[in-house]
């Protein structure tokens, strides 16, 4: 296979980028009144407007041709059919099976669909027990609070979804209201902040770790157990307060969680793609199984669209290609994702892992170094908050940033402050417009003169008010943020990330880069604990050794030497 | 004045960067056993290790010479002495006066120090009244909950500090415990999420807006008033539940807040630098005035260091110069800031505004376009969480990211889970080390062979495990995170940002780039509300017009055309 950058369409895209260098984005609208309808797609309850990117029909054609050269459709088919596309770990990648309604899907001689159905049924029974108040704590009280202990994929996705779908006014008329909390950080303050408001008698812990060896999760789980014994005044009945989501049955049993209370997770589900599995137990406990199924249904709709829509009308494909255009041809190093929705305040934190851990790679599947850039830095906050924080740089800084805006046309059903909503939506549209059109020197000067400034004063101030414009953005819109549209939104980004990884030719499903830090941390913690000279290898850099020494000296009361 | 990039030391720095291109960062430690002590500074309770940057004595010398060429010391003196260095708004920049203990400081013929002292005294009286339970709601109940309504600088800094200094186990033995909440987003869900758990009888709102015209803040304040009237069953006694921090006395009065309950803010305090003023009222209400004074004292210690330490031992100067080196000479587009401290989970959100709104500019003070890059994108999450999210990209992606790590050697005093702390610290040191040293092909292969892989299998997998290393980072360490060390930390970054703005020759204290979006939003919201064709200018781009039309069609029940 030729390397990506050696492909014909890669070269053509480079030429297109060069020829568009001096073209103001806004001018593309002036010359084509159909631009908005030409560059928008509706699917699975989502509407994507991608017209505010520096693209032309030629660019889109070249991007689609590149996707075809890279045999994208075959790569998509390979994932959905359970081929071991995670080659460095020799695993299939089948989070799509978790939301599929196919009868069967064979992986290595095993049909995974019955496993998925059975696990969902088990989740459903458990969730109903807890939410109906049948499941009791050891002292006979129903569960009011669930603490999900997990980190990374066992935390970011489920936490984001729970926040997004919460109804703050829910008083649990028909079911026992269950509040779900998330503890991830090994910092003891995180566990403390959560436990301090809880009553052990009515608290259930869900310990989520595929391997059941994750440092943070096991540390927090052990401390939670200590706290619970203290709260209950006894270590009897702990099994009513702990369930696990893990594939390591032995470690779960050793921790003292009954096998009946262990939910399964399979090696064909990557952590950052796992919220659709029992890792999403917290989601189902917070909102019920019906809502969880609606989340799956939304993702399934997007998967169906991804599998069946023609490439040029395929939302994940187009979003992925636009990302490659911005990253590789316009050389934009970061993607700012800004949901105009307080419920999605954690969306960019979720997406950071989904995107950067998947595509933050620099070798191809066959081990060749990749000279071209891969995943951008993904970051952002909820709008309108971000407008009052970092948007200044996007409007007037000299490093271009690409943006994705996300907004629901209607507020949450039943919102008592629904009258705030039009201002939220208007600000979303306005930021995208302002980034695109900018503000010219002449527009600035006439405004300043109208404000009463002298010609000289206006001339002096004007350069500070000019905005270059030409900042690209996508706008994703839905009628309401519901379990179904959220499921579609998450699946959209998952598949967009897949598209980009497939074109770059990298493995989006491993994460070897996080291994070394864990190993070094284990060595360092031993050295920190010793009494004598830090027990680090003699050739350790003086910075690491010096920091450890300083730590030890401070603990020994000899701060600052 | 010559442009920055025309200066002699700029050219020399470019040559240094080119000559260091092939130098592995780790090799600099091998050749200099003193590197850690050479490149570390202690000041105001903070310890900075900057040795893990691609710097040499020559580079540091050139950076310091550049600072001198740019007359940094004079620029610092101009700020502290109240010169109108915010030239586009003709204002002094005197957040440093808010934490100063100078007798007097004349600005435009007015001594500001008595104003600062008087305001602090007023804050102190009010805070003591609320926390002692003397201040009562209209129904006679003491205040248990404070809701700060503000956005941007009236939210991010105070919220971050309140979270950082909270003691979750505080039961308010000697004072009335007051919980402080923050509402910023115009999205009604944000206000709702907060109010749903509160009792109006014991709730106090602090409405913070310099101009008292901020869309988000006024929208939320009006809805809060409506809610309160509903809660109290009357509009009598509202004045016991609302105070304001604003310079617009007329608008505050019109809202119905008594002048006696208005705290002042001056035009020589920028929003993103205002937590030291009455904008920090929420901080003082949450933790008491003694704690607030300790915060000021910590910042004052850092200011004193900044003003008096020689440049080469000056922490904000060095941190700022390292940032310029990474940004302009190593071409690193973003700065990842990762406090290994759950209490500082909002630190990077705070710092985004402080840095990106200040230095996200591209014209010089005298209005010349600046070809070189200015503020980086600032982003990050708390460690260890970020390790399980985005660190993969930093270790193995092919876009370099610079990192600042922040960690306290000891956990919060009285923490019941203090035994987690060494793991937190070890992971911080380990990430910085792993980023710097990386992992070579030979190290990877010997590990894989030791794991039992065949030579062929090891050879095939190895490229995926290699980590290039050479990722620069700073480590900031303190014995404990307290009000005083936090004050020093915030002031450190404020002054670092100043140093960078001063060298780049930009105005770090205006934010003209946020104006246009507000104006466009006002136009769009009008068009959204109309009944006929969207009332947007005929030459509006089809994207903005199309989005507005879609919004209106959806509300009218004609979704999807």
């Amino acid at each position: 296979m030729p390397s990506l950058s050696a492909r014909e369409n890669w070269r053509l895209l480079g030429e297109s980028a060069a020829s568009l260098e001096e073209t103001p984005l806004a001018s593309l609208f002036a010359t084509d009144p159909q631009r908005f309808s030409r560059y928008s797609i509706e699917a699975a309850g989502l509407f994507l407007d991608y017209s505010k990117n520096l693209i032309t029909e030629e660019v889109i054609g070249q991007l689609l041709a590149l996707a075809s050269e890279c045999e994208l459709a075959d790569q998509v088919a390979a994932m959905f059919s359970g081929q071991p596309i995670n080659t460095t770990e020799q695993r299939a990648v089948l989070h799509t099976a978790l939301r599929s309604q196919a009868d069967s899907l064979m992986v290595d001689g095993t049909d995974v669909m019955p496993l998925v159905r059975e696990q969902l049924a088990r989740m459903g029974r458990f969730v109903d027990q807890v939410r109906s108040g049948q499941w009791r704590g050891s002292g006979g009280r129903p569960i009011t609070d669930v603490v999900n202990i997990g980190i990374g994929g066992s935390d970011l996705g489920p936490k984001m979804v729970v926040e997004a779908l919460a109804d703050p006014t829910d008083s649990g008329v028909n079911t026992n209201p269950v509040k779900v909390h998330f503890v991830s950080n090994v910092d003891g303050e995180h566990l403390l902040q959560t436990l301090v408001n809880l009553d052990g008698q009515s608290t259930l812990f869900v310990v989520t770790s595929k391997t059941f060896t994750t440092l943070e999760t096991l540390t927090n789980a052990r401390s939670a157990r200590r706290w619970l014994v203290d709260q209950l005044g006894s270590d009897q009945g702990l099994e009513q307060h702990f369930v696990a989501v893990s594939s390591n049955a032995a470690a779960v049993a050793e921790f003292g969680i009954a096998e009946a209370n262990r939910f399964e997770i399979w090696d064909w589900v990557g952590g950052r793609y796992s919220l659709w599995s029992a890792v999403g137990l917290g989601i189902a406990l917070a909102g019920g199984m019906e809502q969880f199924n609606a989340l799956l249904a939304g993702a399934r709709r997007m998967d169906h669209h991804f599998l069946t829509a023609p490439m040029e009308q395929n939302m994940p494909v187009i979003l992925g290609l636009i990302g490659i255009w911005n990253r590789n041809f316009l050389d934009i190093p970061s993607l700012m994702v800004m949901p105009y929705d307080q419920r999605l305040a954690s969306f960019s934190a979720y997406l950071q892992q989904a995107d950067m851990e998947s595509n933050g790679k620099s070798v191809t599947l066959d081990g060749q170094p990749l000279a071209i850039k891969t995943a951008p830095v993904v970051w952002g906050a909820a709008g309108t908050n971000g407008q009052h924080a970092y948007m200044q740089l996007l409007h007037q800084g000299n490093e271009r940033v690409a943006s994705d805006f996300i907004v629901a046309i209607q507020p949450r059903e039943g919102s008592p402050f629904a009258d705030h909503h039009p201002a939220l939506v208007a600000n979303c549209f306005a930021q995208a417009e302002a980034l695109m059109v900018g503000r010219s020197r002449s527009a600035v000067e006439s405004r300043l003169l109208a404000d009463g400034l002298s010609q000289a004063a206006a001339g002096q101030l004007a350069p500070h008010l000019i905005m270059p414009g030409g900042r690209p953005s996508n706008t994703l819109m839905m009628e309401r943020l519901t379990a179904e549209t959220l499921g579609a939104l998450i699946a959209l980004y998952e598949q967009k990330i897949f598209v980009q990884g497939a074109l770059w030719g990298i493995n989006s499903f491993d994460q070897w880069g996080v291994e070394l830090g864990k190993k070094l941390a284990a060595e360092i913690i031993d050295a920190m604990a010793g009494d004598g000279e830090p027990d680090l290898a003699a050739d350790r850099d003086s910075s690491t050794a010096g920091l450890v020494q300083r730590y030890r000296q401070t603990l020994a009361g000899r701060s600052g030497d």
Side-chain angles (χ1 to χ4, degrees), chain A residues 99-383:
Chain A
R99 55 218 191 199
S100 163
Q101 290 188 327
D103 286 334
S104 75
L105 179 55
M106 300 303 289
V107 177
D108 276 343
T110 305
D111 187 353
V112 301
M113 289 314 301
L115 304 177
V116 170
R117 284 191 294 269
E118 189 221 325
Q119 201 66 209
L120 275 170
R122 276 192 66 199
M123 279 175 73
R125 286 192 297 274
F126 176 71
V127 165
D128 289 348
Q129 280 184 346
V130 173
R131 287 172 58 86
S132 69
Q134 272 179 274
W135 183 287
R136 301 282 167 139
S138 62
R141 305 234 309 261
I143 300 300
T144 56
D145 292 89
V146 170
V147 181
N148 183 85
I149 299 180
I151 194 165
S154 302
D155 173 67
L156 293 164
K159 175 170 180 282
M160 180 271 288
V161 173
V162 166
E163 289 176 7
L165 300 181
D167 175 354
T169 62
D170 180 23
S171 55
V173 177
N174 298 313
T175 57
N176 183 47
V178 175
K179 197 156 164 41
V180 180
H181 313 264
F182 289 86
V183 173
S184 52
N185 201 332
V186 74
D187 185 350
E189 283 298 292
H190 202 189
L191 184 63
L192 178 65
Q193 286 167 2
T194 306
L195 295 188
V196 76
N197 298 310
L198 303 185
D199 181 336
Q201 295 279 356
S202 54
T203 298
L204 173 75
F205 293 95
V206 179
V207 184
T208 304
S209 165
K210 198 192 256 191
T211 60
F212 226 71
T213 59
T214 312
L215 167 79
E216 289 86 347
T217 303
L218 271 288
T219 304
N220 280 317
R222 285 190 209 104
S223 291
R225 189 173 52 190
R226 236 192 313 144
W227 172 85
L228 194 63
V229 170
D230 188 52
Q231 287 264 312
L232 302 180
S234 146
D235 58 2
Q236 299 300 302
L238 286 188
E239 67 277 10
Q240 294 301 102
H241 295 272
F242 274 97
V243 302
V245 182
S246 177
S247 57
N248 187 344
V252 168
E254 195 189 308
F255 184 84
I257 294 175
E259 175 64 12
N261 295 341
R262 179 178 71 88
F263 291 86
E264 189 60 79
I265 171 150
W266 305 280
D267 68 4
W268 39 267
V269 179
R272 55 192 174 272
Y273 297 92
S274 66
L275 67 90
W276 321 99
S277 73
V279 171
L281 200 57
I283 301 171
L285 285 165
M289 211 56 199
E290 196 181 330
Q291 190 192 70
F292 191 76
N293 283 324
L295 188 78
L296 298 181
R300 185 163 59 243
R301 279 183 73 187
M302 184 54 74
D303 286 347
H304 179 75
H305 165 79
F306 182 48
L307 280 169
T308 58
M311 289 284 171
E312 68 277 11
Q313 279 294 318
N314 194 306
M315 200 182 281
V317 171
I318 291 292
L319 206 57
L321 294 176
I322 295 287
I324 285 177
W325 171 248
N326 285 336
R327 183 78 179 110
N328 296 120
F329 298 97
L330 305 187
D331 203 24
I332 298 178
S334 82
L335 172 65
M336 193 285 292
V337 178
M338 191 165 176
Y340 274 73
D341 200 315
Q342 188 62 28
R343 296 168 293 176
L344 292 175
S346 296
F347 190 77
S348 66
Y350 151 76
L351 197 61
Q352 272 178 341
Q353 185 193 16
D355 199 334
M356 296 168 73
E357 192 164 83
S358 294
N359 288 341
K361 310 284 162 71
S362 48
V363 292
T364 60
L365 282 168
D366 54 2
Q368 298 307 309
L370 198 61
I372 57 172
K373 297 291 169 75
T374 52
V377 166
V378 176
W379 59 285

